[in-house]
Structures are given as C-alpha cells and as structure tokens.
Amino acid sequence: MQNGLEGHKARKRFGQNFLHDEHWIGRIIAAINPQMGDTIVEIGPGQAALTRHIIEAIGHETAVEIDRDLAAWLHETFADRLTLIEADALKLNWQDVHPEKRLRIIGNLPYNISSPLLFHLMNVADRVIDQHFMLQKEVVDRMVAQPGSKVYGRLSVMLQYRYRMQKMFDVPPGAFTPAPKVTSSIVRMTPLPKEALLEVDTERFSVIVAAAFNQRRKTLRNALSKLLSQEAIESVGIDPSARAESLPVEAFVRLANIKVTTPS
Ligand code: SAM
C-alpha cells in the first residue's frame, strides 16, 4: 500500500475492491489506450491502480471519488496532475464535467451501483468518445447479450440502443484486494453517432422495454396488454405471441413508436 494509506480499510459500502495485479492493470490500460490530449475521467480512482498509469501516459486525469479519505490522499499524491471531483458519480451532473470537451470515461466500478450508474451516464453519451468499465462478468454478459440469449434483457436493449458494446476480457478475483466472490469483465461502450440513432421517444421506449421484460416468460400480447393492443403490435409486423427475449432493439423501437390514441 502507498504512503499515507496504510490505515485504509476497504469500505464495503463503497464497493471497494482494489486492483493490485500489474499484469491485469497493464491489460486494462492497453485496452483503454490513452492518447495525449484525451480528457479521461475515471470513476472511483481508489488507490490509483489505474490512475497512476493514465497520468504517466498522458500527464493528467480527472476523477470522481466519493470516499473522502481516498480523495485527500489522491489530492496529496497527484496534486495538479489530477483534477479531483469529490462527489457521488450517481448524483453528479455530468454535463458540468469539462462541458467543452469530449470525454473518455473509465472505471473499475463499484458493483453495487453499476446499473444505475450506466443509465445515469446515458445523459452525457452525446459528448462521450468511449467508456471502459470493469464490472461483474454476469452484468457484462447481460450488457452485450443478443436476442435469444437467456440473459438478454432490459439492460441489453437499453444500452445497445445507445452504445456499441464490446466485451474485452475477464479478470479473475485474485487480481483484487480484497478478492470479490465473482469474476469481473472489462467492457468497452462506444456511443453510436447521432445519425445512427433510431428515432424514438426515449421515455416511451424505456416503459415498453421494462414492461416487455418484466415477466420475461409472458408473450408480448400479455406483457404489453396495458400499453398496446394485439392489433397495434401486429400493425408494426411483430408477432404478439413472441416473447421479449426474441426481439432485436429495433423491434422495441417500432413498438415504442406506435401512436396510441386514448379514447375520448
Ligand atoms: N479504481 C480503483 C482500483 O481499480 O483499484 C478502485 C476501484 S473500487 C472497485 C471502486 C471505487 O469507487 C472506490 O475507490 C470507491 O470509493 C469509489 N466509489 C464508490 N461509490 C462511488 C460513487 N457513488 N461515486 C464515486 N466513486 C465511488
């Protein structure tokens, strides 16, 4: 452990599992491939396992850390080479983070908040170049899952609507202190360019996707009964007896774009 941190006990409530294995740290940095001029924003730098390599490579990083003790240590250690935002990444208004720059966001994320954080970051996707995250393998498998897969669900559809997803590689529990109970994976998320986004009311899309997967064994006819009639589902060329897990992202967009007329 580095100077000034000898007393730091990993805090469970902040999802602290620190990377210590240089082999895996090196592979993650290589996947990120930091370039001079990049604006890299790290969520949860912790004890700087990734941070120090980014700073070595490009001279500077911006980071968001919730743990005040770690933030004080990071500030002392890296001074003006690190722009530190002491905040909860879930509550942070990401529009205020280097508003004039395009961001590359990275992080070995606290697993307890990973899904809400991924959704929160969608607010800034139009300004993001890419995101590289370490998450539980099980979550990454759901993020990249394709229709027909058992783990294809709401997370897959919502994220794949906005990002190109690539699972990079798995990282074993032994790479961390303390070791988590599960295997982790690195995922790369690249926002799709605006022109490639299918036009849809994102709120309606989100409601349809959530309802369709709420009881994934139900047919669309039943799962969406409160939102769309059987005829409406058929009108966009989708079989009402199909299940949500068989539909590609684009089919959910078609369902969300059905004009619903409320009886007067
Ligand atoms: N990046 C370090 C590494 O790879 O060893 C630490 C990773 S650890 C899994 C997660 C880090 O996120 C911790 O430093 C923790 O304090 C921080 N953290 C937890 N919840 C956070 C939140 N809501 N906002 C910002 N940082 C958070």
Side-chain angles (χ1 to χ4, degrees), residues 6-224:
E6 286 83 358
H8 187 84
K9 275 217 177 102
R11 293 185 166 123
K12 235 185 175 169
R13 72 175 186 285
F14 292 149
Q16 292 179 351
N17 299 93
F18 299 111
L19 271 168
H20 65 77
D21 186 320
E22 285 301 327
H23 165 74
W24 292 106
I25 293 170
R27 283 197 61 184
I28 296 166
I29 296 293
I32 296 168
N33 191 17
Q35 301 291 315
M36 279 297 178
D38 284 351
T39 302
I40 297 195
V41 184
E42 181 177 5
I43 299 172
Q47 298 180 344
L50 302 173
T51 321
R52 66 179 66 253
H53 289 276
I54 299 289
I55 290 177
E56 248 167 48
I58 63 168
H60 184 267
E61 192 194 82
T62 295
V64 185
E65 176 57 64
I66 199 171
D67 185 318
R68 287 183 176 196
D69 295 338
L70 289 176
W73 173 81
L74 287 158
H75 186 62
E76 214 171 276
T77 307
F78 295 103
D80 60 1
R81 289 176 298 159
L82 182 68
T83 300
L84 195 60
I85 304 171
E86 283 190 53
D88 180 343
L90 263 184
K91 295 190 183 140
L92 185 65
N93 183 354
W94 283 82
Q95 299 296 356
D96 293 342
V97 180
H98 301 298
E100 73 293 357
K101 297 261 171 63
R102 297 200 65 209
L103 311 178
R104 301 192 67 201
I105 305 179
I106 66 165
N108 169 10
L109 297 186
Y111 294 166
N112 48 346
I113 60 162
S114 54
S115 294
L117 191 54
L118 293 170
F119 280 105
H120 186 54
L121 288 171
M122 283 176 92
N123 294 321
V124 83
D126 56 351
R127 218 156 47 72
V128 164
I129 296 172
D130 55 21
Q131 301 182 156
H132 289 83
F133 293 136
M134 171 119 68
L135 293 156
Q136 275 174 266
K137 174 181 183 301
E138 174 263 324
V139 175
V140 171
D141 287 344
R142 286 198 278 131
M143 290 164 74
V144 305
Q146 293 299 305
S149 150
K150 269 196 185 134
V151 293
Y152 181 69
R154 176 171 173 253
L155 194 66
S156 334
V157 175
M158 294 306 294
L159 295 177
Q160 289 173 30
Y161 168 76
R162 191 66 190 83
Y163 303 90
R164 187 164 91 89
M165 309 286 249
Q166 287 167 274
K167 178 175 168 169
M168 309 298 285
F169 50 86
D170 292 337
V171 180
F176 305 83
T177 315
K181 290 199 176 71
V182 294
T183 298
S184 304
S185 303
I186 301 289
V187 66
R188 174 183 293 157
M189 306 169 65
T190 313
L192 296 170
K194 268 219 165 106
E195 319 78 75
L197 292 181
L198 299 168
E199 222 165 284
V200 71
D201 174 327
T202 47
E203 261 176 46
R204 177 75 178 166
F205 178 65
S206 168
V207 167
I208 295 275
V209 174
F213 284 106
N214 195 22
Q215 286 162 293
R216 52 186 299 130
R217 300 201 50 78
K218 277 194 176 177
T219 61
L220 291 172
R221 180 193 296 116
N222 289 333
L224 299 179

